DNA sequence: GCACGGAATTTTGTATTCCAAATTCTTCCG
DNA sequence: CGGAAGAATTTGGAATACAAAATTCCGTGC
């Protein structure tokens, strides 16, 4: 892909380009990002790149060390536990806020996600079902009508995306069922039920994920 | 102040310089940040400045519009409600985690904050007492031993600091009392009590603050 | 053959200069 | 007084330069 033909500032495009490749795993954890390489590949000068890097760092996608450049963040087991704790709290908040404001249009959107996941499941496409489930979460977040919350969660989810890919297929049917329960609670405006279902949903994926990752992750720093 | 004599990268120093001045209110909300001015004032080139700006934006301290530069974030009433919601959730999580791990050294630190606040109060120095109370919150955050949580809360608190200054003196004695209760719950490892006290503590400051701000804040965007 | 030390190379951090495009300011005219 | 044309400012970005730090490479000695 050549950058420069579309809209927005180059810095933003570089940011998005790198973020996508980190989330997708193409730039694997630990990979060093060498400025010259990226500038050459994207055909941009160092200025927009060096504006993109601090953003990526602020969002936790890379770590930079003085005079040693940037590398893709390598999550430790502890990092992931921290992520789960925070995500748990914020997903619960999102569910609570969504249930407090069960807007019909947003509800219809959630329904779409659920039926998409279910039909993908029927067709045997676990991949599509997982994607629909990710979209469901994002929609709940949007439905919370708290832009700050949504903005905070985005990079957290991005950082966990590869983890989702590793582990989400595990119990995708369970996830779909939980989503349907959560949807019903939100639709009915049952704030406390939505909160506890959201909590259970996130918490439920925790131990299995951590167990799966225990041996592939680096030790804590 | 002249930048350049201390350690760390210039970008970081510029970032911190601007952040401090935004938090302190010296750079008031809505103020435009003109690159040339800042570069001249700090005697740095545009490069480190342009690396600092995306960081400030990622942390919510400034907003930038393409081709129109950066300005200090002007919180709307809705922004502040969103902040309260998120802070509520995260402070509760921090209290919960701290109570789950009542480390003696950290507890001693909390005690120090409490007695500092109380003695400042006895001396009639509301200002110092408020500072000690802010430090107390930060210590609880640190005690949660969740670096992600701590990192997320920092800019949120920074953005609300001027609000604290406006409203904190109001019921500083109530705050101290609530802190003491929270401290006891954490010390005793009473996770649920700590959580509900933290919730009440944040939620309690909410309506009074919003009422105070209702007429000075700009309308929602 | 391998560890070690130092030189050569690469990379980052920052400055400077330059330019186009967009925005803002000024000024002049109706 | 309002508005439009032109001037000045400002941002977004490129190219180049260079010192300092880090990394790589290589030759030497063991």
């Amino acid at each position: 892909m050549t950058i420069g033909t579309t809209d927005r500032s180059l810095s933003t495009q570089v940011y998005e380009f790198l973020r996508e490749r980190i989330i997708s795993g193409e730039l694997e954890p630990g990979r060093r990002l060498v400025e010259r390489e990226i500038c050459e590949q994207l055909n941009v000068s160092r200025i927009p790149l060096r504006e993109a890097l601090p953003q990526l760092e602020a969002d936790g996608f890379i770590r930079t060390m003085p005079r040693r450049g940037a590398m893709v963040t390598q999550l430790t087991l502890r990092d992931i536990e921290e992520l789960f704790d925070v995500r748990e709290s914020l997903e619960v908040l999102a569910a609570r806020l969504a249930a407090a404001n069960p807007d019909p249009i947003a509800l219809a959107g959630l329904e779409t996600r659920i039926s998409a996941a279910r039909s993908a499941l029927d067709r045997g496409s676990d991949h599509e079902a997982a994607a629909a489930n990710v979209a469901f979460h994002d929609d709940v977040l949007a439905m919370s009508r708290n832009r700050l919350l949504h903005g905070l969660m985005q990079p957290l989810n991005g950082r966990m995306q590869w983890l989702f890919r590793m582990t989400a297929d595990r119990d995708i049917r369970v996830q779909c069922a939980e989503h349907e329960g959560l949807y019903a609670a939100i639709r009915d405006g049952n704030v406390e039920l939505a909160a506890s279902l959201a909590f259970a949903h996130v918490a439920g994926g925790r131990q299995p994920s951590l167990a799966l990752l225990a041996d592939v992750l680096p030790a804590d720093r």
Side-chain angles (χ1 to χ4, degrees), chain A residues 17-28:
Chain A
F17 175 87
L18 291 174
R19 187 190 56 193
E20 284 320 303
R21 269 154 192 74
I22 291 172
I23 289 178
S24 78
E26 189 179 323
L27 293 172
E28 72 280 9

Side-chain angles (χ1 to χ4, degrees), chain A residues 35-155:
Chain A
E35 293 186 4
R36 196 183 43 77
E37 281 178 17
I38 299 172
C39 290
E40 240 161 60
Q41 187 188 352
L42 301 186
N43 200 37
V44 300
S45 78
R46 287 171 75 195
I47 304 260
L49 172 59
R50 297 194 49 137
E51 286 178 14
L53 293 182
Q55 284 181 260
L56 288 166
E57 179 161 35
D59 288 348
F61 290 114
I62 64 174
R63 288 191 340 133
T64 65
M65 284 147 75
R67 290 269 169 208
R68 303 193 45 181
M71 64 165 52
V72 179
T73 303
Q74 238 170 344
L75 294 178
T76 64
L77 207 52
R78 178 171 165 196
D79 289 329
I80 294 188
E81 295 197 37
E82 295 186 355
L83 265 167
F84 265 109
D85 275 336
V86 171
R87 257 175 39 90
E88 227 163 69
S89 280
L90 294 184
E91 289 275 10
V92 166
L93 174 60
R96 212 183 276 278
L97 292 174
N101 173 37
D103 163 46
I105 296 176
L107 283 173
L110 290 188
E111 266 185 280
T112 306
R113 302 301 189 188
I114 286 179
S115 48
R118 206 153 263 305
S119 82
L121 221 52
D122 290 344
R123 289 198 311 282
S125 171
D126 281 20
H127 179 277
E128 276 178 65
N133 278 350
V134 169
F136 178 87
H137 276 267
D138 201 67
D139 282 359
V140 172
L141 230 23
M143 194 175 168
S144 75
R145 309 208 44 78
N146 184 316
R147 294 162 298 189
L148 172 63
L149 173 59
H150 197 258
L152 285 177
M153 279 294 287
Q154 206 120 315

